[in-house]
């Protein structure tokens, strides 16, 4: 009993001390500090900075990471604030800060890099006021693998508020290594290495953006998550200073003239996210889904990740040819893949049958069909079927028909941009599709923003310069290897990525990655629906080992670990499903390389490892089965632009 009383007394003292500290901080303009649960990340928030002898109101925050027992700066003096049509929140003063509370919740993912996830952070809400006394709250969370913050406006107006832009800006030290994609509404670009921040004339950059702290083994990835129907999706711009990246809302477009967010109060922004730590921390982080809304679906038994046979890559207009579609249904059947995706122009299918005949044939073979749709929101694509999902009335009519004929999922393509109406459309499609037990693949779309946690029927998103670009031009031929070894540290970190991988034959333009490299993409790239792109004969003609590997490789994972890698150079990733570990390795360079990694994740003293790697040339394989032990150092020789897969059981 005495021990219990003492414990309560100590807790009370700590609470009083915390409240007193907060009060003094608000009053005396002292920095406000918030640390991660493990103490490795610290955020300092201030509302003033010194300009000569004057103190100027300007809210900003800095991030520190503990390395070798000392905190070192990651990025400093990052600005905070928003702009609305009624009030400006730029030069804002800290009014007060709420108590620090522990966020702790476990959740399960159906797709993604990890099945069992933990949302664990320390959170505090800081209240600021502008010159007119209007309040803006900023919620900060500090996780063991990064930080997140969002803006919230309480109800100080009865009228809707137009949040036009942000003053949020990240100040990156000069000569920082960075891997960033020039902004494109479809997020289909490369992540070239740079130290300057100089891009094209627009100086617009897409999320996610990867940075490495100068002279430190500390990395950070900037993105955002949990965009709601009351948010647009932001990007980064650095027009005025190449090392200052401002969070910028999309400009109005032809058919949507609104700038930013329009909402009644109270209003919350998206979460601004910064994953911070080692490269392994970046790759393995679930921060994007951690901060997102929990699952809203009561029943998810019908949602099943899986491999898909995909007709478009080898046959651009193949989905209007019934006999071609049948070949891909048979491919799925022969490979043991559960799904076939029938792409554009299925609405004009002929040569022996229509789309309902194709669906019926697939079902007779035990294969679940999925159909492609044009969102109907752009003025530059009239690919059909067009504009069947734009309104709720149209969606319900179409989804009822899909249920009737036996379709299991939809691929929705060609979205118009990142404006607020598009965010609402994405979420409306997911919500309505869930009512009819339809899985969803977004193409020509924005990046993943945590919605796969909220609506688990979101299986994957394109938002990547993927294999279909072998159809469009010759750029991918020489850039693929570097690109493929950059994506695991950038785009694929934030969510499932429909790259449409694994092509051994050639489309309109050749690939010069090895067969081992292509095979490894099935493990290195994570996607809840893995759309395998090659033509049937390419899979049938494979040797037994790689063909059998592709028959059984999972697409959703219990655990993911980065074993080795550096953006654009090489990557080795291990993913576990059940008791089996699948390892994929890629060489991103034009010279031969030995990939090395340690089996420190193996729990058994001894295990069996089967390896499929590059053969004597880039169109052949070598296989081996060896006994391995825990903590063993493994070396695998790879050809230029080569790769390997391994299975440990």
């Amino acid at each position: 009993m005495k021990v219990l009383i003492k414990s309560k007394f100590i807790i009370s003292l700590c609470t009083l001390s915390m409240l007193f500290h907060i009060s003094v901080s608000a009053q005396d303009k002292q920095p406000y500090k918030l640390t991660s649960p493990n103490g490795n990340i610290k955020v300092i928030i201030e509302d003033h900075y010194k300009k000569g002898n004057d103190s100027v109101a300007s809210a900003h925050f800095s991030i520190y990471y503990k390395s070798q027992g000392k905190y070192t700066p990651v990025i400093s003096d990052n600005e905070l604030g928003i702009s609305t049509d009624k009030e400006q929140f730029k030069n804002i003063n800290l009014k007060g800060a709420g108590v620090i509370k522990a966020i702790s919740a476990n959740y399960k993912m159906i797709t993604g890099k990890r099945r069992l996830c933990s949302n664990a952070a320390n959170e505090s809400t800081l209240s600021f006021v502008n010159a007119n006394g209007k309040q803006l709250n900023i919620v900060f969370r500090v996780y063991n693998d990064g930080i997140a913050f969002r803006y919230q406006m309480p109800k100080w107006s009865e009228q809707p508020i137009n949040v036009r832009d942000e003053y949020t800006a990240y100040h990156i030290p000069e000569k920082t290594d960075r891997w960033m994609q020039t902004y494109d509404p479809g997020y289909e670009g490369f992540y070239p290495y740079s130290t300057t921040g100089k891009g094209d004339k627009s100086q617009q950059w897409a999320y996610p953006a990867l940075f490495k702290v100068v002279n430190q083994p500390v990395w950070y990835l900037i993105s955002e998550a949990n965009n709601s129907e009351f948010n647009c999706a932001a990007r980064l711009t650095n027009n005025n200073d190449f090392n200052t990246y401002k969070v910028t809302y999309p400009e109005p477009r032809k058919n949507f003239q609104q700038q930013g967010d329009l909402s009644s109060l109270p209003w919350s922004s998206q979460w601004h996210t910064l994953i911070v730590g080692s490269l392994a921390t970046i790759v393995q982080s679930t921060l994007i889904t951690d901060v997102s809304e929990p699952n809203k679906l009561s029943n998810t038994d019908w949602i099943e990740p899986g491999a898909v046979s995909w007709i478009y890559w080898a046959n651009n207009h193949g989905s209007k040819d019934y006999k071609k579609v049948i070949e891909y249904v048979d491919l799925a059947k022969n490979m043991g893949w559960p799904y076939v995706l029938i792409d554009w122009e299925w609405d004009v299918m002929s040569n022996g049958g229509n789309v309902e005949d194709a669906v019926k044939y697939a079902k007779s073979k035990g294969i679940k069909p999925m159909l492609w749709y044009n969102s109907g929101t752009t003025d530059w694509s009239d690919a059909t079927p067009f504009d069947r999902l734009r309104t709720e009335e149209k969606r319900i009519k179409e989804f009822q028909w899909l249920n009737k004929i036996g379709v299991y999922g939809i691929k929705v393509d060609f979205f118009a941009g990142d404006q607020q109406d598009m965010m609402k459309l994405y979420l409306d499609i997911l919500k309505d599709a869930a009512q009819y037990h339809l899985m969803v693949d977004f193409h020509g779309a924005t990046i993943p923003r945590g919605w796969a946690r909220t609506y688990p029927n979101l299986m994957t998103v394109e938002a990547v310069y993927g294999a279909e670009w072998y159809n469009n031009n010759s750029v991918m031929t020489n850039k693929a290897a570097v690109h493929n070894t950059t994506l695991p540290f950038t785009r694929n970190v934030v969510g499932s990525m429909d790259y449409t991988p694994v092509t051994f034959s050639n489309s309109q333009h050749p690939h010069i990655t090895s067969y081992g490299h292509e095979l490894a993409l099935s493990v290195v790239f994570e996607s809840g629906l893995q759309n395998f792109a090659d033509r049937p004969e390419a899979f049938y003609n494979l040797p037994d080992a790689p063909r059998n590997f592709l028959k059984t490789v999972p697409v959703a994972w219990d655990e993911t670990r980065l074993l080795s890698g550096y953006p654009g150079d090489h990557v080795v990733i291990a993913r576990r499903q059940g008791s089996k570990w699948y390892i994929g390795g890629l060489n991103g360079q034009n010279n031969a390389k030995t990939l090395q990694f340690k089996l420190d994740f193996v729990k058994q003293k001894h295990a069996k490892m089967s390896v499929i790697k590059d053969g004597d040339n880039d169109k052949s394989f070598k296989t081996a089965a060896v006994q391995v032990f825990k903590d063993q150092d493994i070396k695998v020789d790879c050809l230029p632009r080569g790769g390997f897969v391994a299975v440990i059981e």
Side-chain angles (χ1 to χ4, degrees):
M1 180 63 73
K2 289 181 179 178
V3 174
L4 179 60
I5 293 171
K6 185 177 180 181
S7 298
K8 288 184 176 179
F9 179 70
I10 292 172
I11 292 170
S12 298
L13 281 177
C14 291
T15 304
L16 287 171
S17 175
M18 184 183 300
L19 290 170
F20 178 74
H21 168 72
I22 292 168
S23 176
V24 171
S25 297
Q27 189 71 29
D28 294 349
K29 306 303 180 188
Q30 297 297 312
Y32 183 80
K33 300 176 183 179
L34 190 63
T35 58
S36 60
N38 65 6
N40 284 343
I41 299 176
K42 178 173 66 175
V43 175
I44 295 180
I45 305 110
E46 300 179 83
D47 68 352
H48 280 66
Y49 69 93
K50 287 288 186 181
K51 187 175 183 180
N53 294 323
D54 298 324
S55 181
V56 180
S58 179
H60 56 278
F61 71 96
S62 301
I63 303 174
Y64 297 83
Y65 186 80
K66 187 179 286 185
S67 179
Q68 297 179 339
K70 294 182 180 180
Y71 283 115
T72 58
V74 177
I75 47 175
S76 302
D77 300 325
N78 308 290
E79 295 160 41
L80 295 164
I82 61 171
S83 170
T84 81
D85 61 336
K86 292 181 170 60
E87 295 286 342
Q88 298 302 308
F89 294 91
K90 185 175 185 180
N91 299 322
I92 50 179
N93 287 284
L94 180 63
K95 179 182 177 182
V99 297
I100 298 172
K101 64 178 183 179
I103 302 295
S104 181
N106 296 325
Y107 64 96
K108 293 181 180 179
M109 292 291 296
I110 296 176
T111 60
K113 65 185 80 173
R114 176 179 289 274
R115 185 171 67 90
L116 300 177
C117 301
S118 175
N119 179 22
N122 289 329
E123 178 186 282
S124 183
T125 300
L126 286 75
S127 297
F128 295 84
V129 291
N130 68 3
N132 295 325
K134 293 296 189 289
Q135 185 172 329
L136 175 69
N137 298 329
I138 307 179
V139 183
F140 273 89
R141 286 185 185 175
V142 186
Y143 290 79
N144 290 341
D145 60 352
I147 80 154
F149 65 95
R150 74 190 310 184
Y151 299 104
Q152 293 182 332
M153 276 190 291
K155 190 169 184 178
W156 46 257
S157 173
E158 296 296 329
Q159 300 299 317
I161 296 294
N162 181 196
V163 183
R164 291 176 171 170
D165 207 356
E166 296 191 15
Y167 296 116
T168 313
Y170 303 108
H171 293 289
I172 311 301
E174 288 188 3
K175 299 182 180 179
T176 293
D177 293 339
R178 62 202 81 184
W179 291 258
M180 302 180 69
Q181 178 188 141
T182 298
Y183 179 77
D184 169 82
Y187 293 81
E188 297 181 56
F190 297 101
Y191 293 83
Y193 167 74
S194 172
T195 59
T196 66
K198 185 176 181 180
D200 62 15
K201 291 182 180 180
S202 72
Q203 289 297 134
Q204 297 190 57
W205 306 95
Y207 290 130
L210 178 67
F211 302 87
K212 181 184 178 298
V213 176
V214 178
N215 297 325
Q216 293 285 337
V218 181
W219 301 71
Y220 51 103
L221 185 86
I222 301 177
S223 195
E224 64 179 25
N226 202 42
N227 303 64
S228 76
E229 63 185 280
F230 303 109
N231 306 131
C232 61
R235 66 195 70 158
L236 297 173
T237 58
N238 63 340
N239 304 87
N240 298 325
D241 177 353
F242 289 162
N243 293 305
T244 297
Y245 293 91
K246 178 187 172 298
V247 175
T248 303
Y249 287 177
E251 66 283 349
R253 64 175 196 277
K254 181 179 179 180
N255 297 320
F256 188 77
Q257 290 301 306
Q258 176 188 307
Q259 172 77 32
D261 301 350
L262 184 65
S263 174
S264 58
L265 296 182
W267 165 88
S268 294
S269 75
Q270 73 280 19
W271 282 102
H272 305 64
T273 61
L274 295 94
I275 303 171
V276 181
S278 66
L279 265 184
T281 300
I282 302 294
V283 171
Q284 296 162 201
S285 174
T286 58
L287 183 61
I288 296 298
T289 50
D290 290 347
V291 300
S292 296
E293 291 293 318
N295 177 13
K296 292 187 176 183
L297 308 185
S298 58
N299 174 24
T300 58
D301 293 343
W302 52 276
I303 303 173
E304 298 180 0
V308 188
S309 66
W310 185 49
I311 194 170
Y312 173 86
W313 185 83
N315 300 274
N316 194 304
H317 297 277
S319 291
K320 67 178 181 180
D321 186 329
Y322 175 79
K323 291 182 179 178
K324 279 290 181 186
V325 172
I326 295 310
E327 292 179 15
Y328 281 80
V329 173
D330 292 341
L331 171 63
K333 176 67 175 178
N334 293 332
M335 294 296 289
W337 299 338
Y339 302 109
V340 62
L341 173 58
I342 304 173
D343 218 275
W344 73 311
E345 297 180 322
W346 56 258
D347 55 325
V348 291
M349 189 183 298
S350 60
N351 194 25
N354 60 26
V355 68
E356 293 195 21
D357 297 322
V359 168
K360 184 177 180 180
Y361 180 82
K363 290 167 62 181
S364 75
K365 297 294 183 178
I367 302 303
K368 300 175 181 178
M370 299 183 174
L371 296 184
W372 180 97
Y373 287 88
N374 186 331
S375 77
T377 61
T378 71
D379 57 5
W380 49 267
S381 172
D382 57 0
T384 63
F386 180 87
D387 193 16
R388 297 191 185 187
L389 307 178
R390 186 73 182 273
T391 67
E392 182 180 14
E393 182 180 5
K394 290 180 179 180
R395 288 192 295 273
I396 298 308
K397 178 182 178 181
E398 196 71 11
F399 294 166
Q400 287 176 342
W401 174 68
L402 294 179
N403 277 179
K404 179 181 178 182
I405 67 173
V407 170
Y408 287 79
I410 57 174
K411 172 182 172 181
V412 190
D413 209 339
F414 300 132
F415 287 86
D418 278 330
Q419 290 81 6
Q420 183 181 348
D421 66 327
M422 289 296 100
M423 298 301 108
K424 185 178 186 303
L425 180 59
Y426 286 122
L427 293 167
D428 286 346
I429 290 172
L430 291 171
K431 179 176 62 176
D432 291 342
Q435 290 183 334
Y436 291 89
H437 288 192
L438 294 169
M439 292 173 285
V440 178
D441 173 358
F442 287 136
H443 252 236
T446 196
I447 57 168
R449 298 177 184 275
W451 298 332
R453 180 184 178 190
T454 313
Y455 293 102
N457 57 321
L458 175 57
M459 310 302 289
T460 190
V461 176
E462 184 188 26
V464 67
Y465 198 101
E468 72 172 41
W469 279 91
Y470 284 114
N471 284 333
N472 302 331
N473 57 48
S474 61
V475 174
M476 195 67 162
T477 298
N478 292 312
K479 287 193 173 184
V482 170
H483 184 50
N484 294 346
T485 50
T486 304
L487 292 173
F489 306 102
T490 51
R491 164 61 184 86
N492 213 179
V493 172
V494 300
S496 289
M497 180 178 74
D498 192 12
Y499 178 100
T500 60
V502 187
T503 55
F504 303 104
S505 67
N506 289 322
S507 183
Q508 279 87 335
H509 301 276
H511 71 85
I512 56 174
T513 50
S514 76
Y515 278 20
H517 185 112
E518 291 295 317
L519 184 66
L521 297 179
S522 64
V523 176
V524 173
F525 292 165
E526 179 274 311
S527 179
L529 292 173
Q530 195 71 284
N531 287 290
F532 289 127
D534 215 338
R535 45 183 54 84
E537 55 268 28
F539 293 112
Y540 297 150
N541 292 335
L542 288 172
D544 289 345
R547 187 175 65 253
N548 290 335
F549 178 86
L550 289 172
K551 287 182 177 181
T552 59
V553 61
V555 305
W557 306 97
D558 294 328
E559 185 179 357
T560 293
R561 296 199 183 192
L562 175 68
L563 305 186
S564 177
Y566 196 90
D569 186 84
H570 73 284
V571 64
V572 181
I573 287 182
R575 303 189 191 271
R576 179 178 63 84
Q577 187 183 79
S579 60
K580 285 186 179 181
W581 282 96
Y582 294 77
I583 304 173
L586 302 175
N587 176 13
Q589 296 299 296
N590 290 325
N591 52 280
K593 181 184 282 287
T594 298
L595 301 185
Q596 303 181 49
F597 56 96
K598 192 180 188 70
L599 298 182
D600 54 1
F601 56 92
V602 176
K603 294 182 178 180
Q604 311 96 310
K605 289 184 178 179
H606 298 280
K608 177 185 177 182
M609 183 170 75
S610 302
V611 181
I612 307 173
K613 63 177 185 176
D614 294 325
D616 294 330
N617 58 63
D618 62 1
K619 293 179 173 55
S620 64
F621 298 97
K622 288 181 180 178
T623 61
V626 296
Q627 290 294 318
V628 295
F629 55 85
K630 181 176 174 59
D631 293 328
Q632 183 175 348
D633 291 316
I634 302 295
K635 296 181 180 181
V636 181
D637 294 330
C638 293
L639 293 176
R641 303 171 301 281
F644 75 93
V645 296
V647 180
I648 297 178
E649 52 185 324

